Amino acid sequence: ILIPSPTWTTYLPQSKLAGKKSIIVSSRFEDEWRLTPEILDKAIEERCTNRNKILIFCNPDNPTGTSYTEQQLQKLSEVLRKHSVTVLSDEIYGRLHYKDQHLSIAKYYKEGTVLMSGLSKWASLGGWRVGYAIFPKQLAEVQNAVRSAGSHTYSCTCAPIQYAIADVLQNFEACDSYIRHTRRILEAVSKYSYKHLTSVGVKCIQSTGGFYMLPDFEVIRAGLEKNNIVTCQEMCTDLFQKRSVVVMAGGPAFLRPLKELTVRLCYINFDGTSALNESINRGLDQPLTDEFVEQFCTHTADGIKAIAEWVKSYK
């Protein structure tokens, strides 16, 4: 099982529970944390020994917020097809692509991709878990096996969630409006976070979807080391103790090296209802400025400014 790094925390444990060999494939900041065809091809050629291969692919990505263009997906598909790799494509954040330009790798590698998504992210149904998987006809045997396993484990989605989802799916106009406003609020907060962090030297890739980014605090490594702070987790603990801001260390949870100073920044700690109502009142033709973020996404804005001040203290 090929697992990109960085990536969502449960992919590796799930692979281990399945009893399969896990191969970590590291992406780079210079590639905006995207998995490149060259890196993927090299990992398969040099490290894969089994005929059956699976790639777990998250797009838009958690924890980096990056996504892929048509050309990038086409190039990846060539490598995947060359090595007959089955792709489990986690596209749970697809409808939260800020420019509404999400592309699925299933479009370019249809015969080998299982597309997976759900409603918990775009519909803000974090605790109401319901998802779906779309299998190509070439993977019908896999689909039957998954269906059989499901019937003997979770069996079905619980009734309250089924009623909630049925209600959602009967009002596409309201869903479309909600998604449009949610996307632009998240983009405004993402840009605000990016601007303030990069202004003090933190390396960031601008997110294109979802609600995460992966800042790199290498700029303060020397200052941290003078205070005996060496690992990323130690840095995160220091930030929490001194500024009351919580971020998650890139390593080990997101499969980054323990001493790499990357963290997952989640920028949705604000009153979504208030921000949504204000976005609706202003209308989609009116841009959401930094003033909007500071007034209606206050906790996040305050947290970002606190991080920036903390960084300055170590420079």
Side-chain angles (χ1 to χ4, degrees), residues 53-281:
K53 296 173 285 292
I54 290 175
L55 169 68
I56 302 179
F57 186 66
C58 189
N59 175 38
D61 187 55
N62 174 8
T64 68
T66 196
S67 56
Y68 291 76
T69 67
E70 180 174 46
Q71 184 180 23
Q72 289 162 349
L73 291 174
Q74 287 175 334
K75 293 295 185 181
L76 280 175
S77 296
E78 292 173 6
V79 175
L80 294 164
R81 187 172 287 112
K82 168 186 172 183
H83 294 288
S84 299
V85 180
T86 299
V87 180
L88 302 184
S89 187
D90 183 348
E91 303 181 23
I92 193 73
Y93 299 98
R95 294 184 187 276
L96 292 179
H97 189 288
Y98 299 152
K99 303 303 181 185
D100 192 21
Q101 295 175 353
H102 171 64
L103 294 171
S104 173
I105 196 168
K107 180 179 180 181
Y108 311 100
Y109 186 44
K110 181 179 179 180
E111 72 276 16
T113 299
V114 179
L115 190 161
M116 298 178 294
S117 191
L119 286 81
S120 63
K121 305 301 180 181
W122 70 260
S124 304
L125 296 170
W128 294 64
R129 296 286 175 170
V130 61
Y132 56 85
I134 301 174
F135 290 78
K137 62 182 181 181
Q138 292 86 346
L139 297 176
E141 289 187 19
V142 178
Q143 180 180 5
N144 290 334
V146 171
R147 183 189 295 117
S148 177
S151 71
H152 293 287
T153 52
Y154 56 83
S155 183
C156 68
T157 301
C158 66
I161 294 179
Q162 290 192 49
Y163 276 107
I165 301 309
D167 190 55
V168 167
L169 295 178
Q170 292 180 67
N171 198 337
F172 286 121
E173 185 176 345
C175 290
D176 184 62
S177 174
Y178 182 81
I179 292 171
R180 287 174 182 270
H181 284 284
T182 300
R183 277 199 303 248
R184 76 187 200 124
I185 292 169
L186 290 172
E187 183 178 26
V189 179
S190 174
K191 287 181 176 179
Y192 182 93
S193 304
Y194 176 84
K195 182 173 73 173
H196 281 268
L197 292 177
T198 55
S199 72
V200 294
V202 178
K203 292 169 59 179
C204 297
I205 301 299
Q206 177 69 63
S207 299
T208 56
F211 30 80
Y212 310 106
M213 66 173 60
L214 195 78
D216 187 339
F217 290 83
E218 181 64 29
V219 67
I220 58 171
R221 181 179 293 277
L224 292 170
E225 289 179 347
K226 289 179 182 178
N227 290 269
N228 298 315
I229 297 172
V230 178
T231 68
C232 189
Q233 185 56 60
E234 290 170 346
M235 182 187 75
C236 293
T237 300
D238 186 77
L239 174 60
F240 172 64
Q241 291 175 341
K242 292 181 177 176
R243 303 290 173 164
S244 298
V245 176
V246 176
V247 293
M248 292 182 68
F254 298 100
L255 307 184
R256 300 308 296 169
L258 297 182
K259 292 185 178 181
E260 180 183 275
L261 301 181
T262 53
V263 305
R264 187 184 79 158
L265 174 68
C266 180
Y267 42 83
I268 55 170
N269 183 30
F270 57 87
D271 182 352
T273 300
S274 176
L276 177 64
N277 289 338
E278 180 61 20
S279 177
I280 293 171
N281 290 337

